[in-house]
Amino acid sequence: VDTGVVLWSIREQRNMALHPFPPRLRLTNTVQQTPEVLVRQICRDTTGRIWVATSKGLAIIYPQTAQIQLFSHNSSDERSLTTSDIKAIYQDRSGVMWIGETVYGLHKYAPLQYKFQLYRHNPFNIQSISNSYIRGITEDKQGNIWVGTQFGGVNMLDRKTGLWKRFRYDSTRADGITS
């Protein structure tokens, strides 16, 4: 598609979303989805860039210039992603991008620093994120980051203290979350 990025549902065999490009823009090189590459989530940031989470890394599409920047794990670069299997993307109100992986945790990416900061589960620290398999990310009105994990419940990062609070299903508590 040369008019935008299309999210295609394999299960439903139909287009689910279209992130259109500005008029008169055509991409000169496109990234083809193959059976080996799964597009998991698409996010348009406040500058108009389109972030694409895939099973093989993170792609950023710059519609104004028709350029594509790819991020994947690079074992020789400590600032790179810790894995290329990306599950979730979210941009908070301050412009920080949050990238959830399926293995190592949650990355905070500050675009001006070109650096990924990793939050991962530490079994010896109850104030760390409860599980490193990230399923979803959002932000509340107070600016706290909320993260859903695989089998670890929901976590809230208090941006003022930098500490995580965990919320898990507990059948003995009436005020707990449900599974």
Side-chain angles (χ1 to χ4, degrees):
V1 171
D2 59 7
T3 59
V5 175
V6 175
L7 178 61
W8 177 265
S9 169
I10 295 171
R11 180 177 292 134
E12 297 180 28
Q13 294 295 305
R14 67 180 181 92
N15 290 345
M16 301 299 289
L18 172 66
H19 293 271
F21 292 145
R24 299 182 313 244
L25 174 72
R26 297 176 73 92
L27 283 178
T28 56
N29 59 352
T30 59
V31 177
Q32 296 293 324
Q33 178 162 329
T34 67
E36 297 83 37
V37 178
L38 298 174
V39 173
R40 298 218 167 100
Q41 192 170 14
I42 297 173
C43 173
R44 182 188 297 260
D45 71 18
T46 56
T47 66
R49 295 176 298 193
I50 300 169
W51 297 65
V52 183
T54 78
S55 59
K56 298 290 185 183
L58 180 65
I60 304 173
I61 301 170
Y62 298 82
Q64 297 82 2
T65 62
Q67 298 295 314
I68 300 174
Q69 183 178 14
L70 302 172
F71 290 96
S72 59
H73 172 64
N74 180 347
S75 59
S76 63
D77 183 358
E78 65 181 29
R79 297 179 308 156
S80 78
L81 294 167
T82 51
T83 183
S84 295
D85 198 2
I86 309 301
K87 190 73 170 175
I89 311 170
Y90 182 79
Q91 183 180 39
D92 68 23
R93 288 189 298 264
S94 65
V96 171
M97 296 301 297
W98 297 87
I99 297 125
E101 296 183 356
T102 60
V103 179
Y104 293 103
L106 179 72
H107 285 278
K108 176 182 175 183
Y109 180 70
L112 297 177
Q113 298 172 346
Y114 297 100
K115 182 176 156 184
F116 293 95
Q117 176 187 351
L118 179 63
Y119 294 93
R120 67 187 305 176
H121 173 64
N122 178 344
F124 303 107
N125 181 354
I126 62 168
Q127 293 178 327
S128 72
I129 196 166
S130 64
N131 188 293
S132 292
Y133 190 120
I134 308 302
R135 302 286 295 189
I137 310 161
T138 194
E139 179 181 23
D140 65 22
K141 291 179 183 177
Q142 290 75 37
N144 299 311
I145 298 299
W146 290 82
V147 178
T149 66
Q150 180 83 14
F151 306 120
V154 178
N155 298 256
M156 182 195 76
L157 175 63
D158 184 325
R159 299 286 287 274
K160 293 176 185 150
T161 66
L163 300 175
W164 290 94
K165 184 172 182 183
R166 301 173 179 181
F167 300 88
R168 298 188 73 162
Y169 173 70
D170 183 348
S171 62
T172 63
R173 294 185 53 174
D175 64 342
I177 61 172
T178 60
S179 61

